[in-house]
Amino acid sequence: MDIAEKYQVCINGLTQFLHSTRTTDVVLGLSGGIDSSLVACMCVEVLGPEHVHGYMLPGPYSTDHSLIDAQLLANNLGLNTEIISIVGAYDAFAAELAAHCNGFGGLAAENTQARCRMVMLMALSNAHGWMLINTGNKSEACMGYSTLYGDTAGAYAPIGGLYKTDVFAASRYVNARAEQAGLTPPIPEHVLVKPPSAELAPGQVDEATLGSYAELDRLLIDHVEHGMGIPELVMAGYDADEVQRVVKRVASYEFKRNLEPPFPKVAY
């Protein structure tokens, strides 16, 4: 499948899900990152901008450029957006838990930020009757690089069947299609070129933990989609230590994937 076909599979899956659940309006977090940007474009394509509600949810380590990128995306798509800071909620959790979590730092503090965001989004969903849409991708799901009851929340994951490299390719496809139609490309160029980051800690960059997405996705596709085991992957030329790391991590996070929302099945 080329990227246009993969994108259409995602659009079809989202359309069918929203139709089957009689959903008229959706809500999602706009982080200024590539995943939420692409999902916002998909939701607007299916429902129209007036039925897509985007919220920027800055935390203690959010960068100014992320808010700028998210607002520019919203402007390009015609979305009305609002900002709700999670800093107060996060600080309250930190104050309560510090004595019980050895000062409350590290993974506990990072994941609490993601869960604060989902509390905000689920409250908005409940208050207004909007369906919460998930913005996770398959690379992160395979590697367990997500927060249970945080960014794994949501009723449906439109890009849950796309690996990260295809998220970037689909985003460029969306922009190119808009340009061909004489429209402003919806996804800001800065979103397409900046290093992906969850911004849960100072200077955090996804690929510092996961490795290069380009190399990781090649390995994941051969292992997950094509069923290649460790000996086959090593014989195919992958680094033996990297194969062990990735295969072990994929297996250990199966429980987390079982708790994530449904997504369209994309062929690889």
Side-chain angles (χ1 to χ4, degrees):
M1 296 178 103
D2 64 20
I3 196 60
E5 292 172 312
K6 291 174 181 176
Y7 179 82
Q8 194 59 49
V9 168
C10 296
I11 288 292
N12 292 345
L14 178 61
T15 301
Q16 291 165 9
F17 175 80
L18 296 177
H19 178 75
S20 67
T21 56
R22 295 182 172 84
T23 298
T24 61
D25 289 71
V26 298
V27 61
L28 74 158
L30 297 178
S31 69
I34 192 76
D35 296 322
S36 64
S37 296
L38 181 58
V39 170
C41 291
M42 290 177 168
C43 290
V44 167
E45 182 169 334
V46 173
L47 290 173
E50 66 276 14
H51 297 289
V52 180
H53 309 278
Y55 283 82
M56 292 174 277
L57 304 162
Y61 307 110
S62 297
T63 57
D64 290 341
H65 71 70
S66 290
L67 291 175
I68 292 169
D69 290 340
Q71 187 60 63
L72 183 55
L73 170 85
N75 293 345
N76 292 341
L77 290 173
L79 296 181
N80 289 320
T81 59
E82 293 187 50
I83 298 176
I84 303 177
S85 173
I86 67 160
V87 172
Y90 170 75
D91 286 346
F93 276 113
E96 291 294 332
L97 290 169
H100 307 282
C101 296
N102 298 319
F104 196 65
L107 187 61
E110 293 179 13
N111 284 348
T112 296
Q113 294 169 60
R115 292 178 180 130
C116 285
R117 290 188 171 98
M118 287 309 114
V119 168
M120 303 291 187
L121 291 172
M122 282 306 307
L124 292 162
S125 171
N126 293 154
H128 300 288
W130 303 333
M131 186 74 79
L132 176 59
I133 297 297
N134 180 277
T135 60
N137 64 70
K138 197 165 189 178
S139 300
E140 294 168 358
C142 287
M143 297 294 284
Y145 194 66
S146 55
T147 301
L148 271 181
Y149 322 117
D151 51 357
T152 59
Y156 192 76
I159 62 170
L162 291 180
Y163 290 91
K164 188 76 170 191
T165 46
D166 272 339
V167 172
F168 277 97
S171 297
R172 292 197 178 276
Y173 164 74
V174 167
N175 276 5
R177 192 179 60 172
E179 284 187 306
Q180 290 169 1
L183 303 172
T184 300
I187 301 176
E189 182 64 21
H190 188 240
V191 173
L192 297 170
V193 300
K194 67 183 178 182
S197 171
E199 296 188 337
L200 299 178
Q204 183 183 54
V205 178
D206 293 356
E207 288 178 306
T209 300
L210 297 176
S212 161
Y213 275 119
E215 294 301 315
L216 175 65
D217 284 356
R218 286 180 54 244
L219 201 164
L220 285 174
I221 289 168
D222 279 342
H223 176 53
V224 175
E225 307 296 335
H226 303 154
M228 294 173 64
I230 291 175
E232 296 169 285
L233 291 166
V234 174
M235 287 182 62
Y238 293 104
D239 177 78
D241 290 340
E242 182 68 357
V243 167
Q244 290 281 354
R245 180 185 79 91
V246 171
V247 170
K248 180 180 178 181
R249 188 153 176 162
V250 170
S252 66
Y253 284 110
E254 181 178 2
F255 78 94
K256 188 182 286 190
R257 291 190 294 278
N258 289 336
L259 295 172
E260 293 186 347
F263 57 87
K265 303 301 188 289
V266 179
Y268 279 88

